[in-house]
Amino acid sequence: MLIDQDKELKEAILELPEKEKIKLLLKLISKDITLMNQLRHQLVDGHDSVDQKRGLVLKKIDGLFGRVKRLIEHYPARMSPGELLMHMREISGLVNQHVLITKDKIGDIELRLHILQMGFAMLPEDALLEPNRRNKTLVEYIAGRMKYILPKYRKLHEDYQYDLKDSMNAVLLSIYNSAVSRLATELNFPKQV
């Protein structure tokens, strides 16, 4: 139940002495790690730290893709589109957490584009040549990610769009040169921005 739905409790909390309210607030905040990280970002680190935090997430993404690359090198025939999808979703969680904490609109797009670029680079060329049963879920995932990215990209200021243009076009080119192209056409993705 939300606090606004229990008026008596809300009034009782507001009537507590200041020290008790602070103690209660700190206790509640300590139970929610995401809230703690959001408050740390807003109150301690400041919004100037967004670029630095984005850079750290980018390093983590590259490190995780490095692990995927080593797996592919050791077991080249083993990396299926489904396994790559599993890794991409795991890596995408880093971006979700970063955006949840920092509200970083540019990082949301930049980091997701980077994940898509790395994903295309990891697969053997024949894995996404044409749609088939093995790559269907990965194809849908890539199309879904781009469907998420495109409107966010269009809402950015033109200077930020310019900064991300090369990455956007690289991913769109990969999409249109792969099994994702049919879905991209159906979803009216541009061939370039």
Side-chain angles (χ1 to χ4, degrees):
M1 178 184 330
L2 297 174
I3 192 76
D4 288 337
Q5 294 172 336
D6 191 341
K7 303 282 186 204
E8 290 176 17
L9 177 61
K10 183 177 179 179
E11 287 176 25
I13 291 171
L14 291 174
E15 290 176 12
L16 285 172
E18 197 68 27
K19 274 188 168 185
E20 287 296 315
K21 281 192 267 190
I22 291 171
K23 189 175 169 183
L24 183 61
L25 178 65
L26 291 174
K27 186 176 181 181
L28 289 171
I29 290 171
S30 69
K31 293 182 183 282
D32 187 338
I33 299 220
T34 301
L35 178 59
M36 282 178 53
N37 288 330
Q38 286 172 333
L39 290 172
R40 169 167 274 295
H41 172 71
Q42 292 171 5
L43 303 173
V44 178
D45 300 339
H47 291 287
D48 296 338
S49 69
V50 171
D51 291 340
Q52 180 185 8
K53 289 178 180 179
R54 186 185 314 139
L56 291 173
V57 173
L58 189 60
K59 282 183 183 178
K60 286 180 185 176
I61 289 170
D62 287 342
L64 290 170
F65 270 115
R67 188 184 74 191
V68 172
K69 186 176 182 180
R70 287 188 296 281
L71 280 172
I72 292 170
E73 288 169 356
H74 285 94
Y75 309 102
R78 197 166 171 271
M79 184 60 68
S80 70
E83 288 172 313
L84 179 62
L85 173 61
M86 180 183 67
H87 292 293
M88 288 175 72
R89 282 183 171 155
E90 174 192 344
I91 294 168
S92 186
L94 293 173
V95 180
N96 295 343
Q97 191 67 18
H98 170 74
V99 172
L100 182 64
I101 291 167
T102 64
K103 310 291 186 237
D104 181 9
K105 294 177 184 178
I106 295 144
D108 191 18
I109 297 167
E110 180 183 338
L111 296 169
R112 291 183 197 286
L113 285 172
H114 187 67
I115 290 170
L116 290 175
Q117 285 177 310
M118 296 296 286
F120 275 112
M122 293 288 142
L123 274 176
E125 287 184 27
D126 62 342
L128 280 178
L129 277 180
E130 53 187 61
N132 59 46
R133 183 177 51 83
R134 287 194 66 198
N135 66 21
K136 181 179 188 272
T137 310
L138 179 60
V139 164
E140 290 170 351
Y141 176 80
I142 292 169
R145 293 291 78 200
M146 194 50 125
K147 184 179 176 183
Y148 171 87
I149 291 169
L150 277 167
K152 291 186 174 285
Y153 174 81
R154 290 179 181 129
K155 288 180 184 177
L156 288 177
H157 185 275
E158 63 188 35
D159 290 344
Y160 293 123
Q161 286 182 357
Y162 180 80
D163 292 342
L164 296 169
K165 185 177 184 176
D166 290 341
S167 295
M168 282 289 290
N169 286 333
V171 171
L172 286 168
L173 179 65
S174 295
I175 284 173
Y176 276 106
N177 288 330
S178 72
V180 188
S181 64
R182 184 183 57 77
L183 258 177
T185 303
E186 287 176 16
L187 294 169
N188 295 319
F189 291 173
K191 297 223 176 197
Q192 57 179 270
V193 291

